Structures are given as C-alpha cells and as structure tokens.
Amino acid sequence: MRRRVVVTGLGCVTPVGNDVATTWQALLDGKSGGGPITRFDSSKHKLHFACEVKGFDPSLYMDRKEAKRSDLYTQFALAAAVQAMRDAGFEHGGYDPLMTGVIVGSGIGGIATFEAQHDVFRDAGPNRISAFFVPMFIGDIAAGVVSMRFGAKGPNFATQSACATSSHAIGEACRHVSYGDADVMIAGGSEAAVSPMAMGGFANMQALSERNDSPTTASRPFDSTRDGFVLGEGSGIVILEELGHALRRGARIYGEVAGYGATGDAYHLTGQPANHEGLQRSMRRALEDASLTPADVQYVNAHGTSTPMNDSNEIRAIRTVFGAHADGINVSSTKSATGHMLGAAGAVEAIVSLLTIVNGIIPPTINLHSQDPECDLNCTPNTPVTRNVSAVLSNSSGFGGHNATIAMRRLAG
C-alpha cells in the first residue's frame, strides 16, 4: 500500500517576508513586495522594478566563508531549509540520515554568478574565473548544500521545469516517501534571478509588466488591466514525512499531501493551448491521486501570473475541471503580492495553501479592482476571506509546457 505523506515543517524567504510567519501576515495584510531594483544598476533597462527579497542576512544560516562561495539562490534555499527543519523539530537530529532526502530545484540557478564571472572572463581572461564558479551557478547545488548541512543521504537531486520547478520537487519528493525510498524529504525550490540578463530577457519577450511608475500595483492577476508579471525571488521549502514516522515522534502536522498531477502541453515554447488543457489534466490527475472530488475542494492557489494569456486560460481550465462546483470555490494568486518567484513559486504557494487549511483564512489577490470578465470565478479580490478549508489545489505551469498540481488536505483518520 502507498504510504501517506504529511507536511511537518515549513520555511521560506520571500519578497514580503524572510520567514513563514512574516510572509503569511503580509499576504493577509495585502502588502506588495514590489519596488525599485537594488540588485544592479537598471538605468539601461526599460524596466526598473521587481519584487526583491529585503533585509536578508545569510550569516543567520551560514558562515561568512560559505556565504561568499554561494550564489544568492543557494543562500535562500539553505535559509528556508534551516527554517523548515527547525519548524519540524529536526534542527538537532531525530531523523535517520540514510532515510532522509533532498529535492530542491531552481528554474534558472545562479545566473547572477554566471553574469559576474563572465565579466571577469571578458575583462581578465579565463585564468581569472573563480574556481567556485561552476558549483556556485549550477542548478542542483542548492540541493547538494542542503543535504550536506543535514547529512541527508537519501534521494538527492534537483528538478528544473521553469516556473513549475518546486511543485514538481514537492510532488516527486512525496512519491519517494510514498514508495518507501525515504521517511523524510526536504523539498522545494529557490530562485535569485533579479539580474541584468534575466530582467532584460524577460522584458524583451514582453513577459513583464511595464508599470515603472507603480511597482506595488504592477502585479494584478485576473485584472482587465494586467500587462505582465513582476519578477520575484526567494525560496520555499517543506518537510515531507511518512505519516507513521511523524505520529511516532509527536510531530505537529500541517496537512497531508494527498495528490500530485504532472502533465505536458507539447504545444509551444512559452504559450499555452486554449483553455490550458494540459493544466486541466494536471488538476484532474491530482484530484484522482488524492481520491478527492471537485466538491471536496474549497480553495485553488492559482498559477495566476498577471499575464494576459495565463490568467484567463487558467480560470477557464479551473472552471472546466470543477464544473458546477467552480462558482463555490475561492481562487487567488499570491503572486499579486510576491511577484513571480519562478522556480521557487510553487513551493511558496504550497506553503500558503497549507496555511489556509491550518488558519481557515484565504489570502487575497491584491490589486484586483477591475476583474477581467473572462476571469469569471471568485478570485478573492483585495481582502482575505475567512472560510473553513479542508482541501486545496496549488497550480504551477512553466515555459516549455510543464504543469504540476499539488493536492493537499487536512489530515483525517
């Protein structure tokens, strides 16, 4: 029989808070992480704002030498992992290292390191490239660093599926626990792509909002005036644990990861098919895997990027999957506050989705003042909603046609 998997620890670093409690309260308060870019001089760029992490201190999680040899995305990942392991009661052990694994992905990896070292190469030649260049920028190194911090010798790798990366990480980690490959998995994603090349690339493909005059209101999912996403950064990590293992040690359980759906569009590099049928299949698969019906679900944390194509497509997909029950659910996009954290987005949104179950409060979609008629569901505009939530879906999609849906529910007998 498949083993049941629960979440016993949460950790995150986001543009609206450097831990879970601060992030959650900021989402409920409707705070935006948008602001002027400080990571680099954006004067030659056409866009000058992003959702940056603020006031992050890597020395809280690693020594100065280690921080110097780590890209920011790895620093974020380790910070979130330390928080999550502490939250789970594992900070000082209590787990079998051989049965503890790590899946932490990144959509882009250490792009800021790559850019900086390319400048060194161009200006001073190949002999001046840092010996730490490769392990700093590769997309799997955060998983390796986290595993070394905690001595985790179980399954260890990184997922990379653009903006679906960390949802895939959680789903695949859940399966490793279900199948008995591990009793505990550290899973999620991290991103630090507020960099000159990434900003320029996303801007030139017209994926980003161009509201330089209003960074805090630029991310406006489901709104008729939306014009693109706002680039974000950060990390989200969850601790997944086999139910019996968690119960035996008296762990606090946030909820159960009950189902996982993963599909491909096989359609376009960056676009989506009409009504996003790939995401429909992902949601249906997650519901089936969880033995849930649409009527069992109260909340969907949408991918909700604030792009003209995604939002209406996703709403139509949700309406198709949920049918007559669609008008009875709440949908929201917390990217309205955090911006689009790319490979970290799915994990942070899974954390948010779990907290709606724990707290009975659904965070709003902020900046939603003129709802697009094509986004015709209850998108929870601007104000949090108190509601008894027992089951949720969290959706993610990525360039290349990747879709992932995580189904979570309150732990039942």
Side-chain angles (χ1 to χ4, degrees), residues 103-105 159 164-174 185 187-189 240 260:
I103 304 178
V104 175
T159 51
T165 290
S166 52
S167 288
H168 280 131
I170 292 172
E172 296 302 317
C174 182
M185 291 292 295
L240 304 177
Y260 167 48

Side-chain angles (χ1 to χ4, degrees), residues 71 108-121 129 133-134 136-138 195 197:
D71 185 85
I108 294 179
I111 188 169
T113 292
F114 197 103
E115 293 175 25
Q117 288 300 306
H118 180 264
D119 287 345
V120 171
F121 166 72
I129 295 171
F133 166 52
V134 172
M136 284 177 70
F137 91 85
I138 53 179
S195 73
M197 288 289 288

Side-chain angles (χ1 to χ4, degrees), residues 2-356:
R2 191 174 80 172
R3 305 197 307 170
R4 295 171 69 182
V5 183
V6 295
V7 180
T8 57
L10 308 175
C12 70
V13 176
T14 77
V16 294
N18 291 341
D19 55 41
V20 172
T22 308
T23 295
W24 174 248
Q25 191 59 53
L27 295 176
L28 297 184
D29 291 343
K31 293 182 179 178
S32 169
I37 290 171
T38 65
R39 292 264 181 269
F40 62 91
D41 178 3
S42 67
S43 59
K44 293 183 179 180
H45 287 64
K46 59 183 177 182
L47 301 180
H48 310 292
F49 67 98
C51 284
E52 296 180 340
V53 168
K54 302 159 189 69
F56 176 72
D57 182 0
S59 70
L60 297 174
Y61 306 99
M62 57 177 64
D63 64 36
R64 184 178 177 183
K65 187 175 183 180
E66 185 181 9
K68 188 176 180 180
R69 295 175 176 179
S70 300
D71 185 85
L72 186 59
Y73 101 92
T74 301
Q75 296 177 17
F76 288 159
L78 186 59
V82 168
Q83 291 176 26
M85 288 292 274
R86 183 182 299 148
D87 188 43
F90 285 144
E91 185 177 16
H92 303 296
Y95 55 91
D96 179 355
L98 299 181
M99 291 296 289
T100 302
V102 181
I103 304 178
V104 175
S106 181
I108 294 179
I111 188 169
T113 292
F114 197 103
E115 293 175 25
Q117 288 300 306
H118 180 264
D119 287 345
V120 171
F121 166 72
R122 182 190 58 206
D123 296 340
N127 292 336
R128 298 299 298 274
I129 295 171
S130 170
F132 294 98
F133 166 52
V134 172
M136 284 177 70
F137 91 85
I138 53 179
D140 69 308
I141 207 66
V145 167
V146 169
S147 73
M148 287 181 270
R149 169 61 63 91
F150 297 105
K153 296 184 178 181
N156 179 259
F157 58 93
T159 51
Q160 186 175 50
S161 49
C163 307
T165 290
S166 52
S167 288
H168 280 131
I170 292 172
E172 296 302 317
C174 182
R175 288 184 171 176
H176 278 289
V177 176
S178 293
Y179 297 160
D181 299 329
D183 292 328
V184 177
M185 291 292 295
I186 306 166
S190 189
E191 206 77 82
V194 181
S195 73
M197 288 289 288
M199 281 293 301
F202 281 122
N204 288 349
M205 66 184 294
Q206 298 182 318
L208 299 180
S209 171
E210 298 185 358
R211 299 179 187 278
N212 281 312
D213 59 336
S214 186
T216 60
T217 67
S219 183
R220 47 183 72 183
F222 315 123
D223 195 273
S224 60
T225 62
R226 66 189 184 278
D227 69 329
F229 70 82
V230 178
L231 188 60
E233 61 180 3
S235 179
I237 300 289
V238 299
I239 306 303
L240 304 177
E241 194 169 349
E242 190 271 323
L243 175 59
H245 189 277
L247 292 175
R248 285 191 295 274
R249 68 182 189 89
R252 175 182 53 190
I253 294 173
Y254 287 98
E256 181 176 6
V257 181
Y260 167 48
T263 65
D265 293 336
Y267 176 73
H268 189 271
L269 286 175
T270 59
Q272 303 162 349
N275 303 324
H276 209 164
E277 66 84 24
L279 185 59
Q280 291 180 41
R281 289 184 285 109
S282 180
M283 287 188 280
R284 287 195 176 103
R285 179 66 188 120
L287 289 169
E288 178 186 3
D289 194 38
S291 297
L292 293 170
T293 69
D296 294 322
V297 175
Q298 293 79 39
Y299 174 57
V300 176
N301 187 292
H303 186 53
T305 56
S306 185
T307 58
M309 175 171 41
N310 176 86
D311 294 4
S312 53
N313 247 353
E314 184 175 11
I315 291 297
R316 287 192 292 269
I318 294 170
R319 181 169 285 286
T320 301
V321 169
F322 281 81
H325 184 62
D327 291 314
I329 62 173
N330 280 84
V331 176
S332 74
S333 172
T334 44
K335 288 185 179 74
S336 58
T338 66
H340 195 342
M341 298 168 64
L342 307 180
V348 170
E349 289 156 14
I351 290 169
V352 171
S353 299
L354 274 171
L355 292 176
T356 67

